[in-house]
Amino acid sequence: MATNKSVDRQSSCNPVTLQLKEEQLVLAKEWLQTGEVKIYREFLTEEKKFIVPVEREELVIEKKVQVSATPGERDVPTDVIRIPLSEEQVEFTKHRVALEDVSIYKQQIEDIKHIEETLKREELRLKIFGSPKVRDESTNPSLWT
């Protein structure tokens, strides 16, 4: 991006000023929203089946018929009367139990990002045509090519 000004004999009497420039890198950071999180509880339902043995008490009354000694009359059925006295009833209650504690928080993590960029700068160079006498008052001889 050098500004080239030709120098001729007429302008050699007037001083010429060249502005040399270089590129500099300016780093700026800004926050960008990269995502969004919605936190909620989801309730799931599940059907459970249980097999629970229950007991009961009955009063049993058996009435036996007296059978004669004849072999053909032995198959007389007995009368049975059952009277329920008590039984177990199944009762259930549901209660909530804490399964786990979940902590939710934001955490800032610092990463290092490597940036490589090529920067340009201008340097003054002279090209001498002919054989003029040059008086070097500079301490940097690399300026003369």
Side-chain angles (χ1 to χ4, degrees):
M1 292 188 226
T3 306
N4 294 328
K5 290 185 178 180
S6 62
V7 180
D8 57 15
R9 283 189 195 177
Q10 294 173 356
S11 65
S12 64
C13 299
N14 297 331
V16 176
T17 303
L18 295 176
Q19 189 177 45
L20 302 177
K21 297 180 182 179
E22 73 175 358
E23 293 179 334
Q24 292 184 345
L25 193 59
V26 177
L27 299 176
K29 298 188 295 185
E30 69 175 289
W31 283 99
L32 298 176
Q33 183 172 350
T34 58
E36 187 174 314
V37 175
K38 186 175 187 178
I39 300 171
Y40 63 95
R41 293 185 209 186
E42 183 178 10
F43 293 98
L44 305 173
T45 59
E46 179 182 358
E47 289 288 326
K48 292 270 191 166
K49 294 183 180 183
F50 299 95
I51 298 174
V52 180
V54 291
E55 295 181 0
R56 66 174 185 254
E57 289 182 338
E58 292 181 341
L59 181 65
V60 180
I61 303 172
E62 288 185 7
K63 186 168 125 178
K64 294 184 182 181
V65 179
Q66 292 292 330
V67 183
S68 62
T70 59
E73 295 182 18
R74 280 193 176 174
D75 296 342
V76 176
T78 58
D79 287 334
V80 177
I81 299 173
R82 297 183 180 270
I83 303 171
L85 298 177
S86 62
E87 67 179 11
E88 289 180 323
Q89 285 188 340
V90 178
E91 291 184 22
F92 63 92
T93 57
K94 297 188 282 184
H95 63 279
R96 297 172 71 92
V97 177
L99 294 178
E100 58 188 339
D101 290 333
V102 177
S103 297
I104 300 170
Y105 57 91
K106 288 182 179 181
Q107 182 180 16
Q108 289 191 353
I109 299 170
E110 185 174 311
D111 286 336
I112 296 175
K113 190 164 196 152
H114 297 280
I115 300 172
E116 289 187 32
E117 187 64 37
T118 304
L119 300 176
K120 297 178 184 177
R121 73 182 170 121
E122 299 172 346
E123 290 185 354
L124 182 63
R125 300 283 186 224
L126 295 176
K127 201 170 247 189
I128 299 173
F129 300 99
S131 55
K133 292 186 179 185
V134 177
R135 192 171 85 190
D136 185 7
E137 294 178 4
S138 167
T139 58
N140 189 357
S142 67
L143 292 175
W144 318 104
T145 55

